[in-house]
Structures are given as C-alpha cells and as structure tokens.
Amino acid sequence: MTVKKITKADFTDLIEKVIASQKVYAPQAKGDKYDFAPLTSAGDMKLDYDVTLQPPKKYFIPPVETLLTFEVGGGYQSQFDEEKFVLLGVHPYDMVAINQIDKLFSDGHFDNHYMNRRTNATIIALDVVNASKNVFASEIGTATVKQGYDLLLTDIGDAYIAEAATEKGAALLAGANAADATDDDLAKKQKVQSDNELSLSKHLLKCPASDLPKLLEKAYDHPVWEEQAETCFACGSCNQVCPTCYCFNVQDDVNWDMKTGERKRAWDGCMLDGFTKCAPDHEFRKNRADRFRHRLFRKGKYVPYKLGGEIACVGCGRCVGACLPDIANPVNVYNRLFDDLGNG
Amino acid sequence: MCECCTTKKDIYLPQLATIEKMRLMNDTEMYFRFNMDDGPMDFIPGQFVEVSVAGVGEAPFTISSSPTQKDGIEMVVRRIGNVSKALHNLKTGDKIGIRGPLGEGVYPVEEVKGKDIVFICGGIGLVPQRSFINYVLDNRDDYGHVTILLGTKCHNQRFFQSELEQWTTRDDIHFLETIDEAHDCWNGNVGVVTTLLPKIESELASSEIMVCGPPIMYKFVLMALAEDNVPHDQIYLNLERKMKCGVGKCGHCQINNYYACVDGPVFKYSDLGIAPEAI
C-alpha cells in the first residue's frame, strides 16, 4: 500500500491530466449546494463540500439505463457501458453505501450491468472536510471507511494524504508529483479521521446502531409509523436521495420504427404508491404508513439481515433535508422506538 | 467488459421460445404451451419464468406443467395487465422471451415423498399447483394419499375441465370441487374453498398442505387450518407478488424480510416466522 503526501496544487494538476484521458465525476457547486457532475476543469472540483444533493450511486445505477435492445418478435441483445471513469471525492458514508450495494448486486444472481460499471470505475474516496448540517455518520460507524476505494484522500490543511489501496489507485497516484508521507503526515491524517469519527453526529442515536435490528423486532405494530406517515406525501424523495436505496422498475420503450426498442431499468421507490401493485388492482402495501415502516425496516432490519448485521442507513442525512414534511429522519424514529421499547 | 462480467451470463437477458399451442380456456384465461428454442429447460414444480413480449414488457408466470411432461412448457395467462393482454394477442409460432426457471422456494417434491398431501387451490391458484399435482400423479407410488380441493368463482371460469373430469374418476386421488356462486349446470358444493375443509377434517393434521389462490384466500385457509391444529411446518404457501426482476434485486416482491422471487414463491409457513405481509 502506497501512502503519499501531495500538495493541493499538485493534486489539481494530477486531476487536470486525468481529465485529458478519462471521464471524471466530482463534487461541484450547484447553486449554494453541491452535486456530483462531470468535471471539465480540475479547478471546478469542490473537495471541501459538506454533502452532495444526490449520492454517487447514479454512476453505477443510472436513473435510467438500457439493459437490452430488442427486435419486436425477435431476439434480445445485452447492452453494457464500456467507458472507464474516475469517481472523485466520495465521502466515507457514500463509499460504505457503494460497498453494500456491491454485495447485494453480486451475491446470488450476479448483476453484471452494475458490476461492469463498478469495475470500470476508479474511486477516489475523500475524508469529510466540512460536516453537513444533518450528517450522523459517526452514529452509524460510517464516518471513515477502510475499503472499497482505489485511493483515499485526507485533507490535512495544506496538502492531501493519498493512500492507494489498489493497483488502479497506485497507478493513478504514480502520475502525481508527490512525496512519501512522513510519520507526522500520517499522524495528521489519523487526527482528521478520529475527529470525524466523533464529530459527524448532528443527530444523536440513543442506542448503538448495531442494536437497531433487535429494536425493530419489537416495533412492527408501534404507533410511530401511522403518526409519522400522517403528513407523508409518499413522494419518494427519501428513496431518491438515499445512497443505499436501489429498487428499480423495468420497462420496454419501442423506437420510432416500431420494430426495435430498448428494455430500460429506472429508479423506483418503495414509498411510492403502486410500488407493489399487481394487475388488475391488487396492491400489497397500499397503506402509506406500511410503506413508511417498510423503508425504515429495510434500513434497520431487512437489509442488515442480508449483510451480516450491517445497517443499511449510512448516516448521510440527505433524507432529512429532502423531506418536505420533515418526517424522514431515521434517527428521530429509531430514538422514539428506543424511548418506548428500548428497555423492554 | 471486465473479466468477471464476461464469464457470467446476463441475468436480465431472455432466451427465445416459440409458442406451440394457444387455447382460450374461458373468457379470460389463455393456455400456452411453448418450447425453448435452445433446447428443453429443467425446472422444479413451483418455479416461474419471466415472460417477455418485446416492446410491451416482462411479467412473471408460474409454470403449470409438470417437469415429467417433456412436450414443452405450459402456462395459463389471465388477460389482465399489459403483458398478459399482449400475450393473448399472439399466435402459434410467435416468439416470446423467457428468463428462468426462477425461484428457489419450490414445492417440497422430495421432502413430502411418502406423505399424504392436500392441495388447496383457489381459482387461478390451480395453475401453479397443477405442476406439482401432475408431478405427483406421474410418480403416484412415491406419495401417500392425495386430496385436491378446488374453489372456482363461477361455473364459466372453470378450466382444465377434461383434466378435472379425469381427477374425478381416478380412484387413487380424492378430488373435491366447489363453486362460489350457484349455477344451473352445477350440482356440487357451493361456497368458497374453505367450505370443503370440514369434509376432509380428519386427514388435515397428518397431511402436507399446499395452498395457492388469490391473496384474500390465504388468511381464511390458515385460520381454518389453525382450527384443525395443522402444524405450521406442514403448510406450504405459494405467494405470488409483483416481480420485475425475478432475481432478488428490484424490491417489488418483498414480503417483510423475504423476496417472493428468490426466497419463494413457495414458502413453508413455519419458515416465514413473523411476516405479516405474507397474508
């Protein structure tokens, strides 16, 4: 494993060089907020961002993607994106989310549309520089990350400490004007990480995150689901901004020639009315409160059951900001359950 | 494409099949028999396929034929949604796309060998059950006493009628039928399928029970079976849901902790634990 110290100016030069040969996606300003977008000039990247509007999952599960092409009455052809790309500036909580979806899309039935994009990506993760107003990653244990990235950057003030975790990361770093990191540099990096492990906690969870599956076991019929969902618009914003939500719909689009077409998958959300609706009119999770409960059970119980206990909320806080009636904050719901049921 | 992806097949890619036979069985149900263009498909009763009509979409249908039948794969499609309507408009010789067989929760074909079996079928729930029923009938000596209960909404909706007549005359199975609404042509039992249960009350607790029908049916069947103290590990529920991907990713078919598409569609009741969304 290579660990280098690279000045911010040299890092900007490195990214300028990378842009010339590969597509790069990085956090950039969007109004007074930030979002991941294609980078055309290294000067546009904002590596001190607090949180992006959308998580970077869109580069692995695009909002709409073509899975297959077909001929009406004929055969089907798989379609894959071949482009290699660099995803720069992924915060640890988003990296944890990508690691989780990697497991879910590769275990059992192997989704090579997702995994192909994943393999084509070089991920440069980045320790958080400025905490967003709703982040609670420290509460979940996702304020730092140990795996999944090719390169991890830590801002130590005047420079980045860059840790290459893979050959891809090392190759990328080899193109930079960088010095070996000293013990002092490593200590500064450690300080940033240990600070983040405590300070990314704008909402405090009253129980350890690992206790959530057990807590939820007792909470299926709790009144909180009906109470919270009373003002829910079922708009699916919480699903859309969630880095660990990956549900999708599949539909056929026929081309203008009426002979050929594409089978596409598109983001879907378990909060949306009709998500479980079968022909002609049977909806298995029609009640809004049931859908609200399902979302938080997925994060705190169902997906952890598949991931060996790992909680499927990474504490990015995006849903807290995206929810118009302000009911989506998982910490509020889990704390309420802990107050009522925690010691029972 | 990367190495690991090239070695694995695309789980969303349908294989072509040719429709060998289509027959309208009543006002809404169409019988299909198709053959895979690349050779026969092995499957276990209870498994389903995602059927594609290019340009319209894909929908899941449980295979209705038994794997013992080598002459193509059968399914029955109710004309009710976009894909099913498009399927009804096809003709013999047309191509459809098939992904499958799918579903790892299947009928306990091996587990219940030597045991008595009761099939409780509500309406179109006969279609998936028929795969296991015909499997049992083709391997009759491997299984104990076989009882089939069938409830149909109205007389005109009965399908597989010649097969039902054969079941009536066979002396190695016990076939009981009911119709929800009285009809001039019907002299048998009138009422929902649970009204047949008292007639076989004595055999329920010692039998393996296979249940498939409309969503509303499960609760009432389970209540009736509870009255007869049928152990939960002898009850198998075939739970059909909206399934877009069929491979445990898209989330639509989730029943609490479970995915109907990969964990089911056939579930042992005792394995479901607490899954209120199942019924």
Side-chain angles (χ1 to χ4, degrees):
Chain A
M1 189 174 72
T2 324
V3 186
K4 298 273 190 187
K5 179 181 179 176
I6 177 168
T7 67
K8 290 187 174 175
D10 284 338
F11 185 73
T12 305
D13 287 348
L14 171 68
I15 295 305
E16 207 69 74
K17 274 196 275 180
V18 176
I19 291 173
S21 63
Q22 271 193 72
K23 193 111 186 166
V24 178
Y25 301 102
Q28 294 166 62
K30 191 168 187 179
D32 60 352
K33 295 188 163 52
Y34 302 95
D35 208 6
F36 282 96
L39 192 65
T40 52
S41 164
D44 291 340
M45 61 186 176
K46 301 285 186 206
L47 297 186
D48 59 350
Y49 77 100
D50 55 358
V51 67
T52 54
L53 290 164
Q54 290 282 342
K57 72 176 175 186
K58 62 185 176 182
Y59 298 116
F60 304 109
I61 315 169
V64 181
E65 70 176 292
T66 299
L67 295 175
L68 313 162
T69 53
F70 57 76
E71 285 172 45
V72 173
Y76 297 81
Q77 282 273 311
S78 298
Q79 298 296 320
F80 294 98
D81 274 353
E82 295 303 339
E83 193 177 45
K84 295 199 184 313
F85 62 96
V86 174
L87 179 57
L88 165 63
V90 176
H91 277 169
Y93 48 78
D94 279 336
M95 191 67 240
V96 171
I98 292 169
N99 291 341
Q100 288 186 358
I101 300 183
D102 286 355
K103 280 185 218 157
L104 296 163
F105 274 62
S106 60
D107 280 357
H109 296 266
F110 188 90
D111 189 314
N112 47 15
H113 295 269
Y114 173 90
M115 292 307 290
N116 184 53
R117 272 195 203 91
R118 188 65 185 82
T119 314
N120 282 340
T122 302
I123 297 186
I124 306 179
L126 168 75
D127 278 316
V128 177
V129 179
N130 290 304
S132 70
K133 69 172 185 181
N134 285 316
V135 68
F136 56 95
S138 303
E139 301 297 297
I140 309 286
T142 53
T144 56
V145 65
K146 301 275 180 254
Q147 58 181 355
Y149 51 81
D150 297 289
L151 198 65
L152 171 69
L153 296 180
T154 311
D155 187 334
I156 57 161
D158 56 342
Y160 295 111
I161 303 303
E163 172 213 314
T166 65
E167 279 177 24
K168 267 197 287 189
L172 201 140
L173 195 54
N177 181 22
D180 286 341
T182 63
D183 287 350
D184 184 44
D185 296 330
L186 294 178
K188 284 180 183 166
K189 173 189 169 181
Q190 184 56 48
K191 171 87 169 65
V192 169
Q193 292 185 335
S194 40
D195 283 353
N196 279 352
E197 276 168 12
L198 295 173
S199 63
L200 303 184
S201 53
K202 300 298 171 69
H203 303 281
L204 296 175
L205 195 58
K206 291 183 179 177
C207 64
S210 55
D211 285 356
L212 291 175
K214 263 174 85 180
L215 178 65
L216 287 176
E217 250 168 50
K218 298 181 276 187
Y220 198 78
D221 295 318
H222 194 277
V224 71
W225 313 118
E226 285 287 349
E227 285 166 24
Q228 294 283 108
E230 208 156 293
T231 52
C232 176
F233 295 127
C235 66
S237 297
C238 50
N239 293 134
Q240 200 193 17
V241 300
C242 181
T244 68
C245 274
Y246 59 88
C247 289
F248 58 83
N249 197 5
V250 183
Q251 61 189 55
D252 283 8
D253 280 352
V254 183
N255 294 330
W256 180 242
D257 61 10
M258 295 294 137
K259 290 177 184 157
T260 58
E262 297 179 8
R263 177 159 295 167
K264 293 177 172 175
R265 80 165 145 198
W267 288 1
D268 207 341
C270 62
M271 280 307 301
L272 300 173
D273 190 17
F275 184 73
T276 57
K277 191 169 170 184
C278 286
D281 215 13
H282 191 87
E283 191 165 353
F284 288 92
R285 214 176 291 116
K286 174 115 189 97
N287 185 348
R288 208 170 40 193
D290 292 349
R291 298 203 297 277
F292 187 87
R293 174 177 59 196
H294 182 75
R295 194 178 86 82
L296 286 170
F297 263 68
R298 252 184 89 94
K299 304 297 173 202
K301 185 167 183 282
Y302 302 154
V303 180
Y305 175 77
K306 281 174 169 265
L307 292 175
E310 210 177 321
I311 302 301
C313 166
V314 293
C316 68
R318 288 186 180 94
C319 59
V320 184
C323 181
L324 205 56
D326 196 17
I327 52 162
N329 189 343
V331 177
N332 289 348
V333 176
Y334 294 144
N335 281 349
R336 165 80 191 282
L337 294 173
F338 181 77
D339 285 342
D340 289 359
L341 309 166
N343 302 314
Chain B
M1 200 202 304
C2 73
E3 205 180 317
C4 65
C5 293
T6 48
T7 55
K8 295 189 167 74
K9 68 174 182 127
D10 181 358
I11 52 175
Y12 303 111
L13 182 68
Q15 303 301 314
L16 286 182
T18 306
I19 298 174
E20 305 291 344
K21 193 177 176 189
M22 284 173 72
R23 183 168 58 84
L24 199 58
M25 303 177 91
N26 58 27
D27 288 349
T28 51
E29 261 84 43
M30 180 78 85
Y31 163 91
F32 288 86
R33 194 181 74 227
F34 60 85
N35 271 307
M36 302 301 295
D37 287 3
D38 291 337
M41 180 171 78
D42 292 330
F43 65 95
I44 303 166
Q47 286 194 297
F48 68 98
V49 287
E50 287 277 356
V51 181
S52 282
V53 181
V56 181
E58 202 176 33
F61 297 97
T62 299
I63 299 167
S64 186
S65 49
S66 160
T68 46
Q69 179 201 298
K70 298 298 175 197
D71 183 21
I73 289 172
E74 295 172 334
M75 62 179 183
V76 175
V77 176
R78 178 172 287 178
R79 186 188 171 87
I80 208 155
N82 295 332
V83 175
S84 59
K85 283 176 186 163
L87 281 166
H88 274 237
N89 291 336
L90 296 177
K91 55 188 188 305
T92 306
D94 281 349
K95 299 286 182 193
I96 50 176
I98 298 288
R99 280 193 301 130
L102 299 167
E104 286 149 38
V106 294
Y107 282 114
V109 173
E110 295 298 322
E111 205 177 327
V112 303
K113 274 190 176 161
K115 297 179 177 170
D116 297 342
I117 310 176
V118 174
F119 292 93
I120 303 176
C121 318
I124 200 161
L126 170 66
V127 173
Q129 299 258 63
R130 179 174 167 266
S131 177
F132 190 21
I133 293 171
N134 283 338
Y135 184 88
V136 169
L137 297 183
D138 287 343
N139 297 281
R140 189 64 194 89
D141 294 344
D142 291 346
Y143 299 91
H145 192 80
V146 173
T147 304
I148 304 167
L149 309 184
L150 171 64
T152 310
K153 200 169 188 176
C154 62
H155 189 264
N156 296 341
Q157 276 188 1
R158 291 170 80 242
F159 48 76
F160 287 122
Q161 289 193 26
S162 58
E163 244 166 277
L164 301 187
E165 267 157 41
Q166 281 175 31
W167 293 355
T168 312
T169 53
R170 279 181 80 132
D171 57 7
D172 59 349
I173 58 173
H174 187 195
F175 176 51
L176 293 171
E177 218 184 333
T178 182
I179 300 282
D180 285 5
E181 299 157 11
H183 192 276
D184 294 345
C185 307
W186 184 249
N187 300 319
N189 192 84
V190 174
V192 295
V193 74
T194 44
T195 60
L196 295 175
L197 287 171
K199 298 180 198 289
I200 57 158
E201 207 171 359
S202 60
E203 52 188 280
L204 283 172
S206 59
S207 297
E208 306 290 323
I209 320 264
M210 312 294 147
V211 189
C212 189
I216 185 75
M217 189 187 94
Y218 293 86
K219 193 190 300 180
F220 293 102
V221 168
L222 289 172
M223 278 162 58
L225 295 178
E227 276 177 30
D228 288 302
N229 300 313
V230 180
H232 289 188
D233 62 357
Q234 288 170 215
I235 303 172
Y236 295 85
L237 307 170
N238 192 333
L239 302 175
E240 314 261 319
R241 290 293 185 274
K242 176 175 185 169
M243 299 168 184
K244 292 305 275 197
C245 74
V247 288
K249 312 288 184 203
C250 79
H252 288 90
C253 71
Q254 211 175 344
I255 301 167
N256 298 110
N257 230 5
Y258 304 97
Y259 284 78
C261 68
V262 287
D263 301 319
V266 179
F267 291 90
K268 194 189 269 197
Y269 188 30
S270 55
D271 288 348
L272 274 170
I274 300 165
E277 290 181 346
I279 53 165

